[in-house]
Amino acid sequence: MADTKDATSSNQMWGGRFASGPDAIMEEINASIGFDKKLFAQDIRGSIAHATMLAEKGIISHQDKGKIVEGLNTIMSEIESGRFEFSRQLEDIHMNIEARLSVLIGPAAGRLHTARSRNDQVALDFRLWVKEELVKTEAMLTALIAAFLDRAEEHAETVMPGFTHLQTAQPVTFGHHCMAYVEMFGRDRARVRHAIDHLDESPIGAAALAGTGFPIDRHMTAKALGFREPTRNSIDTVSDRDFALEFLSVAAICAMHLSRLAEEIVLWSTPQFGFVRLSDAFSTGSSIMPQKKNPDAAELVRAKTGRINGSLVALLTIMKGLPLAYSKDMQEDKEQVFDAAENLELAIAAMTGMMRDMTIRTDRMRAAAGSGYSTATDLADWLVREAGLPFRDAHHATGHAVALAEKKGCELAELSLEELQAINPAITQNVFDVLTVDASVASRQSFGGTAPSEVRKQIAYWRNRN
Ligand code: ARG
């Protein structure tokens, strides 16, 4: 006997979690209103610009345009004040707003969608949203850079060990280390600006994919919405999500930088390093170990990077292999971008706060700067400069000095002149001038080097560069 079960009831094999039949499943997989309601303001702005252009071009009457704009403004305030009821049956933000418009103003609402499709509409809304987010990110990076510049200025002379392989390499200044991050976040900011420049073209008017037979003016809508110009190919316009991918790439690189900083803060705030003390605002205690102060905010920033990278890879993978033009796959773009944006903002804000608040333990940094034979290169350089040795020979002689100091359990500067002369007879008393960390950093005046004088020049450069 054939199964005559009602098609709307839940499927016995796989429908357990659904209250009703396939229609409900379709609605659940299809609807984007749960997340694309974030685009309401952009959707309404886009519709007002579109309706205004339609009226200017005589495609709809000025009277209908007046009703449409008034209705849309009402909807804007309904949504802003939380009085709007979103419906999942209406799928997405575009149809939710249009349906409400028709309740508010009647048949004139049906004229708004002339010469437009949800394909160019969503491309517009999302571009406007990403553009605003990029502008916000740019300002947040400027604030982060300012925090680093202030710390760099304060600590232009503070010595600390510089590392390679996380092994003490050469003394540097903390100001110089801070300026390394200024360069990184400065590049991120430049990438943000480039992304804004790239996306600054208006998609509206591409319609479903082929353009429209109505005499629209895409330059007019582009101008009204603050875009430089309209996009130039209607097929590309509705199938392109490069602007979202560029946002995510920029975000992923920036998050990677934030994560390196986070890792340094985690290390620096351990009792073993003890280079910084985090403010209470950006750390937490342990529920069992009373002595602990954990760098949770830094750890979470480090972790956010994984999430943001994930969003980039997700959207690249969603877009890969999609035939032109629009496919519904592209609806999955928004959650990735929204999640990455929210978390990038949080991470930048947390780092800005942490950098401003943390106490720099200059005594600990100085003590560490001098340990680990960090001025060995200065001894080798001295032998080249003052005794005329080829660098390779100087390197060799210095290696003997380090081995001797290690054997004696002392620093290089604690070796006697006689001991050093036994290694190389050309060594004189004034070698001790270069073996201190202050002399070491002060000598590195090459462009972009760690000398306080050079660091101050770079700070001045960045202060003048917005
Ligand atoms: N909610 C859809 C999205 O986010 C809007 C575009 C729908 N277009 C379509 N042809 N079904 O992509």
Side-chain angles (χ1 to χ4, degrees), residues 39 42-43 45 94 119-135 194-204 206 218 222 225-247 330 333-334 337-338:
L39 300 175
Q42 291 77 13
D43 196 71
R45 273 176 61 207
H94 324 297
N119 296 350
D120 58 341
Q121 193 177 354
V122 73
L124 170 66
D125 296 1
F126 199 26
R127 242 182 227 247
L128 285 172
W129 193 92
V130 171
K131 188 176 172 185
E132 284 168 34
E133 189 60 33
L134 284 164
V135 170
H194 196 232
I196 293 173
D197 188 57
H198 253 170
L199 68 59
D200 210 8
E201 296 176 352
S202 172
I204 194 74
R218 295 192 58 211
L225 292 164
F227 287 109
R228 193 176 52 230
E229 57 188 341
T231 54
R232 290 176 181 277
N233 181 296
S234 59
I235 298 174
D236 175 54
T237 301
V238 295
S239 45
D240 163 51
R241 289 296 180 270
D242 289 5
F243 61 92
L245 287 166
E246 282 197 12
F247 171 76
M330 290 162 68
D333 55 0
K334 288 165 217 64
V337 170
F338 292 158

Side-chain angles (χ1 to χ4, degrees), residues 30-32 35-36 39 91-94 117-119 122 241 326-334:
N30 201 33
S32 54
F35 48 87
D36 69 12
L39 300 175
E91 273 188 45
D92 56 25
I93 187 64
H94 324 297
S117 147
R118 274 189 296 155
N119 296 350
V122 73
R241 289 296 180 270
Y326 178 85
S327 297
K328 197 62 175 263
D329 310 49
M330 290 162 68
Q331 178 166 286
E332 295 275 320
D333 55 0
K334 288 165 217 64

Side-chain angles (χ1 to χ4, degrees), residues 171 366 369-370 374-375 378 413 431-442:
R366 172 169 288 279
S374 65
T375 55
D378 298 274
V431 76
F432 291 101
D433 293 344
V434 305
L435 295 183
T436 67
V437 291
D438 291 296
S440 170
V441 298

Side-chain angles (χ1 to χ4, degrees), residues 306-323:
R307 190 163 169 169
I308 293 170
N309 288 352
S311 293
L312 171 61
V313 173
L315 188 55
L316 283 170
T317 313
I318 289 164
M319 296 306 294
K320 130 175 213 313
L322 289 189

